[in-house]
Amino acid sequence: MRHISSRHWDQMENRAWRTALRGAALCIGMVALAAGVAMASSHREAPFITELPKVDGTDFYMFRSYEPGRQDYVTLIANYLPLQAPYGGPNYFQLDPEALYEIHIDNNGDAREDLTFQFRFKNSLQDLSVPVGPSGQTKNISVPLINIGPISSGNMQAQNIIETYTIDLVRGNRRTGNRQPVVNAGTGSTTFSKPLDNIGSKSIPNYDHYANSFIHTITIPGCGTPGKVFVGQRKESFVVNLGEIFDLVNLNPLGPPDGRRNIIDDANITSLVLEVPIACVTNGSEKVIGGWTTASLRQARLLRPAATFDRPALEGGAWTQVSRLAMPLVNEIVIGLKDKNRFNGSKPEDDAQFADYVTNPSFPFLIQALFPSAPAPTLFPRADLVAAFLTGINTPATGNLNQPANVVASEMMRLNTGIAPTPKAAQNNLGVIGGDLAGFPNGRRPGDDVVDIELRVAMGKLISAGLFGNQSQAPAGEAPLTDGALVNASFFGDTFPYLTTPIPGAPIQ
């Protein structure tokens, strides 16, 4: 194949790149259809998303705000770009300006989005330079770093890249519905600013104060009450004994809940945090909302031999979903390996294709094989897991915890906005199975220990509690299973944006 020079490439761009993109998009679409796969997401749990960390959705939280005085709001947190090493310079962890990041709300139970908040990012190079050379012969040379001096909210002259974003609210179908911009209530602008990652205290003194200046009050189309938004780096909020869990559960699952290390305690994450009035996301008398987060890329990409800062590639074609996340750990421990990529390219309305993974799950039998004293439940189909993951829970014993009146079975986070938030100091980290109805799986708060909860539910906690089937069908349902890595509400803030200050890249002296 003939080498294409930079000059010839530029000529081709001017007259033919759109044709090339259309052809590439068609080929990619045909391959995808033939293979029957799409893409994937969430803490590297599916094969394809390991290649695309900037659009890897890692955690999704949805809860009634428990900040005092904010109980009439819902907080939505979508985390992306996992396992960030705090010292990850010189480029750190900007989000992808060619991607579409979305938070979806279903407020009538039909497994289709009714509201979608779409985030788009832009990285603007300031091209800072310094004079280099002897007096009278100096040359201004572009610097290789993201900053060349201290940064504060009021002084960004030493900042080499400015990262901004826009938010659109789409009502109805996320691709064809009515799209309107979310506006900064203080400035009237549709462009929002994002803080730099926590490089270190010499670069950004008092990072807490600095980051808090990027909390914006927002005007949401069709909503009379303002909300809030913050987008920026936070300390990794997920807590798990990750290495030992995936080494064939190489731990004592009946040990103390705080006896093991949270192995990702030294990492950061990038968070998209929204606080929206309840009245703006619910539908009439229906108090239950469903939520999930996705990321999408253009269907085709052509790499440029002469890449520039803002145009390393040419991208075009339809938006193609490469990330999907709602309930935690679904793709990690529920969906079979062959379908992990397919799941994260799918929509909740099409989840019937994955039903066997919930009604006849393999994970409890793997636990039984590793720990014969912990037999798997014998209830089939697993009506308890269908309720927890696909419909919401509504039983004679519990009443309607979080099931919409007209529900289509589909995997998403469901929150009953009619249940009052539990104050931070009173929250039980086991959520509903710990007697705290404002916790997981009725939505999810940062302090809910979802690993311990899902281990216990998978092994039949809802069966042994008498909510489904016969209690004898869950011999290990009352076992206090744990990964040993503790999390609770005390790990987090009690005000927006709740997730805590990211770890600095340079240790504090």
Side-chain angles (χ1 to χ4, degrees), residues 28-285:
I28 290 172
M30 292 173 67
V31 170
L33 287 172
V37 290
M39 316 293 183
S41 100
S42 175
H43 275 110
R44 293 175 51 85
E45 96 299 344
F48 187 78
I49 204 64
T50 61
E51 303 173 29
L52 300 166
K54 286 180 179 287
V55 287
D56 184 355
T58 65
D59 280 291
F60 179 58
Y61 303 89
M62 182 169 69
F63 54 94
R64 273 189 66 171
S65 300
Y66 52 86
E67 176 181 343
R70 305 291 289 185
Q71 65 273 8
D72 292 333
Y73 292 78
V74 169
T75 296
L76 307 163
I77 304 176
N79 286 350
Y80 287 90
L81 218 171
L83 306 177
Q84 297 176 15
Y87 45 83
N91 295 301
Y92 296 94
F93 301 99
Q94 293 92 12
L95 294 176
D96 188 349
E98 301 295 337
L100 182 64
Y101 299 85
E102 297 176 298
I103 298 174
H104 309 279
I105 300 294
D106 168 20
N107 59 21
N108 60 12
D110 67 354
R112 299 179 180 181
E113 67 273 10
D114 298 295
L115 304 169
T116 297
F117 293 92
Q118 295 182 336
F119 292 75
R120 296 286 304 273
F121 291 86
K122 181 179 180 180
N123 299 330
S124 299
L125 178 66
Q126 306 306 295
D127 195 21
L128 300 181
S129 61
V130 293
V132 179
S135 178
Q137 302 178 40
T138 60
K139 296 182 179 181
N140 288 325
I141 303 299
S142 296
V143 302
L145 305 176
I146 201 169
N147 68 304
I148 58 174
I151 303 294
S152 68
S153 58
N155 182 6
M156 296 187 291
Q157 292 182 357
Q159 186 170 329
N160 206 10
I161 296 177
I162 307 293
E163 192 174 8
T164 58
Y165 61 97
T166 60
I167 312 170
D168 288 324
L169 174 61
V170 182
R171 296 183 183 275
N173 183 282
R174 58 179 166 167
R175 299 291 175 258
T176 62
N178 179 39
R179 179 178 289 100
Q180 294 178 284
V182 173
V183 176
N184 188 319
T187 66
S189 173
T190 58
T191 299
F192 299 88
S193 52
K194 174 183 176 295
L196 277 179
D197 294 343
N198 195 358
I199 299 169
S201 59
K202 187 175 182 180
S203 289
I204 310 176
N206 194 350
Y207 192 87
D208 269 344
H209 181 268
Y210 164 76
N212 285 341
S213 70
F214 294 88
I215 296 174
H216 305 287
T217 300
I218 56 176
T219 300
I220 303 168
C223 184
T225 305
K228 291 182 182 180
V229 67
F230 171 83
V231 175
Q233 191 181 51
R234 299 282 87 187
K235 186 179 184 296
E236 170 65 75
S237 53
F238 192 53
V239 173
V240 63
N241 184 8
L242 193 63
E244 293 176 345
I245 281 285
F246 289 112
D247 183 23
L248 298 179
V249 194
N250 188 8
L251 53 84
N252 176 11
L254 296 177
D258 58 352
R260 310 298 293 182
R261 178 188 171 198
N262 170 28
I263 202 168
I264 58 175
D265 192 48
D266 59 352
N268 291 325
I269 201 76
T270 299
S271 301
L272 283 56
V273 191
L274 277 170
E275 189 179 57
V276 183
I278 291 173
C280 297
V281 293
T282 51
N283 181 12
S285 62

Side-chain angles (χ1 to χ4, degrees), residues 137-479:
Q137 302 178 40
T138 60
K139 296 182 179 181
N140 288 325
I141 303 299
S142 296
V143 302
L145 305 176
I146 201 169
N147 68 304
I148 58 174
I151 303 294
S152 68
S153 58
N155 182 6
M156 296 187 291
Q157 292 182 357
Q159 186 170 329
N160 206 10
I161 296 177
I162 307 293
E163 192 174 8
T164 58
Y165 61 97
T166 60
I167 312 170
D168 288 324
L169 174 61
V170 182
R171 296 183 183 275
N173 183 282
R174 58 179 166 167
R175 299 291 175 258
T176 62
N178 179 39
R179 179 178 289 100
Q180 294 178 284
V182 173
V183 176
N184 188 319
T187 66
S189 173
T190 58
T191 299
F192 299 88
S193 52
K194 174 183 176 295
L196 277 179
D197 294 343
N198 195 358
I199 299 169
S201 59
K202 187 175 182 180
S203 289
I204 310 176
N206 194 350
Y207 192 87
D208 269 344
H209 181 268
Y210 164 76
N212 285 341
S213 70
F214 294 88
I215 296 174
H216 305 287
T217 300
I218 56 176
T219 300
I220 303 168
C223 184
T225 305
K228 291 182 182 180
V229 67
F230 171 83
V231 175
Q233 191 181 51
R234 299 282 87 187
K235 186 179 184 296
E236 170 65 75
S237 53
F238 192 53
V239 173
V240 63
N241 184 8
L242 193 63
E244 293 176 345
I245 281 285
F246 289 112
D247 183 23
L248 298 179
V249 194
N250 188 8
L251 53 84
N252 176 11
L254 296 177
D258 58 352
R260 310 298 293 182
R261 178 188 171 198
N262 170 28
I263 202 168
I264 58 175
D265 192 48
D266 59 352
N268 291 325
I269 201 76
T270 299
S271 301
L272 283 56
V273 191
L274 277 170
E275 189 179 57
V276 183
I278 291 173
C280 297
V281 293
T282 51
N283 181 12
S285 62
E286 178 58 78
K287 297 183 182 300
V288 176
I289 60 173
W292 69 100
T293 180
T294 64
S296 299
L297 295 171
R298 293 296 185 182
Q299 196 171 36
R301 171 180 290 177
L302 291 177
L303 301 181
R304 299 186 73 212
T308 62
F309 173 82
D310 57 347
R311 297 188 75 195
L314 298 173
E315 308 201 16
W319 287 115
T320 302
Q321 183 178 303
V322 296
S323 174
R324 171 186 168 188
L325 181 67
M327 300 284 277
L329 301 175
V330 167
N331 219 5
E332 286 90 339
I333 64 173
V334 177
I335 303 298
L337 183 58
K338 70 173 184 176
D339 282 329
K340 286 180 181 291
N341 289 343
R342 182 193 298 271
F343 175 81
N344 283 285
S346 66
K347 299 178 180 179
E349 64 190 89
D350 298 322
D351 279 349
Q353 64 185 309
F354 305 114
D356 286 349
Y357 289 121
V358 179
T359 59
N360 296 70
S362 61
F363 183 70
F365 286 87
L366 297 176
I367 294 292
Q368 175 180 287
L370 295 168
F371 302 98
S373 61
T378 58
L379 173 65
F380 297 103
R382 287 291 299 273
D384 57 324
L385 298 187
V386 170
F389 288 96
L390 303 182
T391 65
I393 297 172
N394 185 358
T395 73
T398 63
N400 190 1
L401 179 70
N402 64 342
Q403 186 179 107
N406 300 296
V407 64
V408 174
S410 51
E411 194 279 313
M412 63 178 69
M413 187 81 68
R414 289 183 172 84
L415 172 69
N416 186 341
T417 62
I419 294 177
T422 303
K424 176 184 171 182
Q427 290 179 19
N428 189 303
N429 71 336
L430 293 178
V432 171
I433 66 172
D436 184 354
L437 299 185
F440 184 78
N442 181 30
R444 180 189 176 190
R445 305 165 300 196
D448 291 335
D449 194 338
V450 295
V451 175
D452 285 8
I453 296 169
E454 291 197 354
L455 279 172
R456 298 179 194 192
V457 170
M459 295 306 289
K461 175 63 178 178
L462 301 183
I463 301 171
S464 64
L467 302 182
F468 298 92
N470 186 297
Q471 290 172 304
S472 64
Q473 294 175 302
E478 293 302 306

